[in-house]
Amino acid sequence: MPNINEIANSAKDNAGKLGIKKFDIYGSTVDDTSVQVDQGEPKQVKASNRSGVTVRVWNEDNTMGVTSTTDVDPKGLELALKTAYEASFFGVKENVPDFSPEATVPIANKPQDKTPQAPVAELIERLLVAEKELLAAHPAIKGVPYNGLSQRDIDRFYLNSDGAVRTESHSLASVYLYSKTEEEGKKPRSAGAFRINHSLDNLDINGCIKETADKTISHLNYEKIKTGKYRVVFSPEAFLSLLGGFSNLFNAQSILDNQSLSTADDLGKQIASPLLSVFDDALHPANVGAESFDGEGTPTRQVSLIENGVLKSFLHSAGTAKRFNTQPTGNASIGAKVSVSPNFYHVFSTVTPEEELSLETAENVIFIDDLQALHAGVKALQGSFSLPFDGWLVNKGVRTSIESATVAGDFLEVLKSIIYVEKEPELTPGGVCPKIWVNELSITGE
């Protein structure tokens, strides 16, 4: 990663030469190594180093131009500033993006602790061992068609002509395993698991192997299921993927574009069961690789989206915050059109439920582990969904895998029909969440 101060000085010099008074730059470098294996052999090794900067320039008429480049040496920056300046005369006249009012707010410095990357040979070795253990876990497990072990270093920076300079770095390691069965006269079954940590040494590969094996084996004895209404328990990952599918609910940009299930007037309304609280919390301690500022240099923070079922706030960029007359929330990514997206969900409950529920005692509930085809089965503007899933029919603790079925419903109805939020949170790629119980949903089986 080039030195931020060098980039800042070089940008200032070039801007001065070109007569540019107002500009900002966001950039990142990602250094990535990943490996895949197949039946005891390395299948793919990928190493990449990607850098990119986005330069925004405002002209005297306060319209803005944007350009992106992978070239951050003085020459490349000069060209980027020049191109963005030229583009600025064709920029939008209304709701022109501006600097975030919080781009210069101090952020508590956290240690920039990068972990030394392990050699590729070690990644391959560890993944081969994981594959071997999975194949040995049960005679029916015949392959691990999807797997990956990767490590990544990330550097990010933001600076602007008002004197904002932010930078941060971190390292991540992650493993993904997905195994498949073959048995005479039976359909192939599969399941997967995922783990992430700051470093390879602390990565829980064994936990990932065990979870993948347990889930896969639990799907071997499957049954058809009757179509009907069932009480449903969503796994943390399934609930968060559903929430993610309808994240326009909290997205201020979507609301302004009339592409949301919410309107600006919905704040303060009860939209979910009082048992449900949802934060967007980039700085949650469980968020490995948490980002302390967004693409506009706004510090990230904990944003209360739903509190005890009440819609509390939206996710904002500097531009949407201005139009809503509120503060940006640290959820923006920079570009010609600034987009807004969630950082890291934290789902929990502070309300004492009327009754404690448990999969050990419940009768005939459906436990949905994994929702599929989200891109096709979610109608984000109608609020409806119809999704195939992997899961089990659970009866007093006994799990029977479901051969194939679809769950359908209306997301806003689901939020209102939550009857229990379990206590134990689990870490998933999208956030921290416990199991969520929903009173009744339509399941289409046989």
Side-chain angles (χ1 to χ4, degrees):
M1 183 73 191
N3 182 314
I4 305 305
N5 293 324
E6 279 172 27
I7 294 177
N9 292 330
S10 160
K12 277 194 194 100
D13 293 347
N14 282 316
K17 267 191 261 173
L18 297 163
I20 293 168
K21 304 248 187 315
K22 182 173 176 178
F23 66 89
D24 67 1
I25 302 176
Y26 172 83
S28 65
T29 305
V30 180
D31 195 355
D32 215 345
T33 314
S34 65
V35 300
Q36 286 175 306
V37 300
D38 186 23
Q39 301 291 350
E41 295 291 326
K43 177 181 166 190
Q44 195 175 42
V45 177
K46 279 199 277 205
S48 70
N49 189 309
R50 304 186 298 283
S51 315
V53 296
T54 299
V55 178
R56 300 192 296 181
V57 170
W58 287 258
N59 61 30
E60 298 73 22
D61 302 329
N62 200 37
T63 55
M64 183 200 79
V66 181
T67 186
S68 295
T69 174
T70 52
D71 199 359
V72 289
D73 63 12
K75 271 276 164 261
L77 272 180
E78 183 179 6
L79 186 63
L81 283 161
K82 209 166 161 177
T83 314
Y85 181 66
E86 285 162 8
S88 69
F89 293 96
F90 304 95
V92 294
K93 301 269 190 288
E94 281 174 15
N95 301 313
V96 180
D98 202 347
F99 290 165
S100 165
E102 299 193 7
T104 48
V105 171
I107 296 179
N109 262 340
K110 52 181 216 290
Q112 308 286 326
D113 48 347
K114 276 199 201 159
T115 323
Q117 294 211 351
V120 169
E122 187 184 336
L123 296 181
I124 292 171
E125 182 54 37
R126 290 199 188 200
L127 196 52
L128 286 172
V129 168
E131 182 191 47
K132 195 171 162 188
E133 286 188 22
L134 259 179
L135 292 172
H138 193 282
I141 297 179
K142 289 290 189 279
V144 188
Y146 302 108
N147 61 70
L149 180 56
S150 70
Q151 51 187 5
R152 163 181 299 187
D153 285 343
I154 302 166
D155 295 282
R156 309 167 57 241
F157 72 88
Y158 172 84
L159 57 92
N160 70 25
S161 50
D162 275 1
V165 179
R166 302 204 186 283
T167 135
E168 71 181 345
S169 315
H170 44 251
S171 300
L172 299 174
S174 61
V175 60
Y176 175 65
L177 298 167
Y178 185 90
S179 58
K180 197 165 188 181
T181 66
E182 286 170 33
E183 282 186 303
E184 193 63 41
K186 284 193 146 183
K187 290 186 177 176
R189 307 296 280 165
S190 52
F194 170 87
R195 294 286 186 279
I196 186 165
N197 206 300
H198 291 288
S199 70
L200 184 65
D201 289 341
N202 297 326
L203 189 62
D204 181 15
I205 299 177
N206 288 337
C208 193
I209 296 168
K210 187 178 179 331
E211 185 184 338
T212 306
D214 290 352
K215 272 192 198 173
T216 309
I217 293 163
S218 77
H219 283 307
L220 285 171
N221 298 319
Y222 55 83
E223 302 281 338
K224 289 179 164 49
I225 186 170
K226 285 197 175 75
T227 295
K229 299 259 188 198
Y230 291 83
R231 181 164 284 189
V232 168
V233 182
F234 286 101
S235 74
E237 192 151 351
F239 185 74
L240 286 182
S241 55
L242 201 55
L243 187 66
F246 293 99
S247 63
N248 67 38
L249 199 62
F250 317 117
N251 188 316
Q253 188 62 58
S254 304
I255 293 166
L256 290 170
D257 295 342
N258 292 323
Q259 298 288 306
S260 172
L261 293 170
S262 307
T263 66
D265 302 333
D266 288 342
L267 288 179
K269 284 189 184 157
Q270 187 86 27
I271 63 160
S273 150
L275 297 170
L276 183 74
S277 292
V278 179
F279 285 176
D280 179 55
D281 191 0
L283 304 176
H284 190 285
N287 186 10
V288 181
E291 299 188 338
S292 62
F293 58 91
D294 72 2
E296 299 183 304
T298 304
T300 55
R301 67 204 66 188
Q302 183 187 79
V303 184
S304 164
L305 297 171
I306 297 177
E307 234 171 282
N308 304 343
V310 175
L311 184 62
K312 280 293 196 194
S313 48
F314 302 131
L315 301 176
H316 286 284
S317 64
T320 63
K322 193 171 173 186
R323 291 169 70 182
F324 275 83
N325 196 16
T326 180
Q327 290 308 106
T329 55
N331 292 86
S333 60
I334 197 169
K337 181 168 166 73
V338 173
S339 58
V340 175
S341 56
N343 288 318
F344 188 84
Y345 287 120
H346 177 203
V347 177
F348 60 100
S349 183
T350 55
V351 178
T352 310
E354 285 177 18
E355 53 171 335
E356 305 266 335
L357 300 171
S358 159
L359 285 172
E360 294 309 307
T361 53
E363 296 181 26
N364 286 332
V365 300
I366 286 186
F367 179 31
I368 294 181
D369 180 46
D370 186 38
L371 293 168
Q372 287 142 11
L374 281 134
H375 55 283
V378 163
K379 301 221 173 351
L381 296 182
Q382 280 89 41
S384 61
F385 60 91
S386 173
L387 300 164
F389 67 89
D390 287 338
W392 302 270
L393 182 64
V394 185
N395 202 7
K396 296 183 179 168
V398 178
R399 297 184 181 195
T400 309
S401 178
I402 296 165
E403 182 181 330
S404 71
T406 309
V407 59
D410 176 275
F411 184 64
L412 292 171
E413 288 301 309
V414 168
L415 291 181
K416 291 197 167 104
S417 318
I418 291 172
I419 49 171
Y420 188 53
V421 173
E422 294 200 4
K423 292 202 174 47
E424 282 305 306
E426 290 173 39
L427 175 63
T428 79
V432 172
C433 180
K435 294 188 186 74
I436 306 282
W437 292 59
V438 174
N439 192 28
E440 217 178 43
L441 274 170
S442 297
I443 303 288
T444 309
E446 293 301 316

PDB file of all heavy atoms in Angstrom, residues 1 28-32 47-51:
ATOM      1  N   MET A   1       0.869  -1.197   0.000  1.00  0.00           N
ATOM      2  CA  MET A   1       0.000   0.000   0.000  1.00  0.00           C
ATOM      3  C   MET A   1       0.894   1.232   0.000  1.00  0.00           C
ATOM      4  O   MET A   1       1.759   1.380   0.847  1.00  0.00           O
ATOM      5  CB  MET A   1      -0.851  -0.025   1.289  1.00  0.00           C
ATOM      6  CG  MET A   1      -1.848   1.092   1.398  1.00  0.00           C
ATOM      7  SD  MET A   1      -3.209   0.821   0.259  1.00  0.00           S
ATOM      8  CE  MET A   1      -4.011   2.385   0.369  1.00  0.00           C
ATOM      9  N   SER A  28      -8.453   1.494  -1.797  1.00  0.00           N
ATOM     10  CA  SER A  28      -8.164   0.289  -1.016  1.00  0.00           C
ATOM     11  C   SER A  28      -7.229  -0.633  -1.784  1.00  0.00           C
ATOM     12  O   SER A  28      -7.171  -0.584  -3.015  1.00  0.00           O
ATOM     13  CB  SER A  28      -9.464  -0.461  -0.693  1.00  0.00           C
ATOM     14  OG  SER A  28     -10.036  -0.935  -1.891  1.00  0.00           O
ATOM     15  N   THR A  29      -6.508  -1.423  -1.028  1.00  0.00           N
ATOM     16  CA  THR A  29      -5.658  -2.466  -1.605  1.00  0.00           C
ATOM     17  C   THR A  29      -6.028  -3.763  -0.914  1.00  0.00           C
ATOM     18  O   THR A  29      -6.108  -3.815   0.315  1.00  0.00           O
ATOM     19  CB  THR A  29      -4.171  -2.189  -1.329  1.00  0.00           C
ATOM     20  OG1 THR A  29      -3.858  -0.895  -1.814  1.00  0.00           O
ATOM     21  CG2 THR A  29      -3.283  -3.192  -2.029  1.00  0.00           C
ATOM     22  N   VAL A  30      -6.274  -4.803  -1.699  1.00  0.00           N
ATOM     23  CA  VAL A  30      -6.601  -6.112  -1.127  1.00  0.00           C
ATOM     24  C   VAL A  30      -5.599  -7.120  -1.652  1.00  0.00           C
ATOM     25  O   VAL A  30      -5.430  -7.285  -2.856  1.00  0.00           O
ATOM     26  CB  VAL A  30      -8.030  -6.548  -1.525  1.00  0.00           C
ATOM     27  CG1 VAL A  30      -8.346  -7.899  -0.909  1.00  0.00           C
ATOM     28  CG2 VAL A  30      -9.049  -5.506  -1.087  1.00  0.00           C
ATOM     29  N   ASP A  31      -4.925  -7.776  -0.728  1.00  0.00           N
ATOM     30  CA  ASP A  31      -3.938  -8.790  -1.078  1.00  0.00           C
ATOM     31  C   ASP A  31      -4.507 -10.137  -0.642  1.00  0.00           C
ATOM     32  O   ASP A  31      -4.713 -10.370   0.536  1.00  0.00           O
ATOM     33  CB  ASP A  31      -2.650  -8.482  -0.298  1.00  0.00           C
ATOM     34  CG  ASP A  31      -1.475  -9.238  -0.855  1.00  0.00           C
ATOM     35  OD1 ASP A  31      -1.681 -10.059  -1.768  1.00  0.00           O
ATOM     36  OD2 ASP A  31      -0.348  -9.018  -0.372  1.00  0.00           O
ATOM     37  N   ASP A  32      -4.777 -10.993  -1.604  1.00  0.00           N
ATOM     38  CA  ASP A  32      -5.640 -12.148  -1.385  1.00  0.00           C
ATOM     39  C   ASP A  32      -4.948 -13.423  -1.835  1.00  0.00           C
ATOM     40  O   ASP A  32      -4.422 -13.465  -2.939  1.00  0.00           O
ATOM     41  CB  ASP A  32      -6.868 -11.936  -2.294  1.00  0.00           C
ATOM     42  CG  ASP A  32      -8.129 -12.443  -1.668  1.00  0.00           C
ATOM     43  OD1 ASP A  32      -8.018 -13.190  -0.691  1.00  0.00           O
ATOM     44  OD2 ASP A  32      -9.212 -12.098  -2.162  1.00  0.00           O
ATOM     45  N   ALA A  47      -3.816 -16.062  -6.278  1.00  0.00           N
ATOM     46  CA  ALA A  47      -3.246 -14.966  -5.505  1.00  0.00           C
ATOM     47  C   ALA A  47      -3.527 -13.698  -6.287  1.00  0.00           C
ATOM     48  O   ALA A  47      -3.350 -13.668  -7.496  1.00  0.00           O
ATOM     49  CB  ALA A  47      -1.751 -15.158  -5.325  1.00  0.00           C
ATOM     50  N   SER A  48      -4.023 -12.678  -5.614  1.00  0.00           N
ATOM     51  CA  SER A  48      -4.275 -11.450  -6.349  1.00  0.00           C
ATOM     52  C   SER A  48      -3.961 -10.258  -5.471  1.00  0.00           C
ATOM     53  O   SER A  48      -4.033 -10.335  -4.243  1.00  0.00           O
ATOM     54  CB  SER A  48      -5.724 -11.378  -6.817  1.00  0.00           C
ATOM     55  OG  SER A  48      -6.566 -11.189  -5.714  1.00  0.00           O
ATOM     56  N   ASN A  49      -3.586  -9.172  -6.118  1.00  0.00           N
ATOM     57  CA  ASN A  49      -3.384  -7.927  -5.402  1.00  0.00           C
ATOM     58  C   ASN A  49      -4.144  -6.857  -6.161  1.00  0.00           C
ATOM     59  O   ASN A  49      -3.780  -6.526  -7.284  1.00  0.00           O
ATOM     60  CB  ASN A  49      -1.891  -7.603  -5.343  1.00  0.00           C
ATOM     61  CG  ASN A  49      -1.650  -6.434  -4.405  1.00  0.00           C
ATOM     62  OD1 ASN A  49      -2.292  -5.392  -4.537  1.00  0.00           O
ATOM     63  ND2 ASN A  49      -0.757  -6.603  -3.458  1.00  0.00           N
ATOM     64  N   ARG A  50      -5.242  -6.405  -5.581  1.00  0.00           N
ATOM     65  CA  ARG A  50      -6.075  -5.428  -6.281  1.00  0.00           C
ATOM     66  C   ARG A  50      -6.015  -4.088  -5.564  1.00  0.00           C
ATOM     67  O   ARG A  50      -6.227  -4.011  -4.363  1.00  0.00           O
ATOM     68  CB  ARG A  50      -7.542  -5.895  -6.287  1.00  0.00           C
ATOM     69  CG  ARG A  50      -7.731  -7.278  -6.881  1.00  0.00           C
ATOM     70  CD  ARG A  50      -9.214  -7.634  -7.005  1.00  0.00           C
ATOM     71  NE  ARG A  50      -9.922  -7.692  -5.732  1.00  0.00           N
ATOM     72  CZ  ARG A  50      -9.829  -8.705  -4.883  1.00  0.00           C
ATOM     73  NH1 ARG A  50      -9.041  -9.730  -5.160  1.00  0.00           N
ATOM     74  NH2 ARG A  50     -10.523  -8.707  -3.754  1.00  0.00           N
ATOM     75  N   SER A  51      -5.703  -3.038  -6.321  1.00  0.00           N
ATOM     76  CA  SER A  51      -5.794  -1.695  -5.742  1.00  0.00           C
ATOM     77  C   SER A  51      -6.767  -0.899  -6.561  1.00  0.00           C
ATOM     78  O   SER A  51      -6.884  -1.103  -7.765  1.00  0.00           O
ATOM     79  CB  SER A  51      -4.472  -0.940  -5.813  1.00  0.00           C
ATOM     80  OG  SER A  51      -3.431  -1.758  -5.438  1.00  0.00           O
TER      81      SER A  51
END
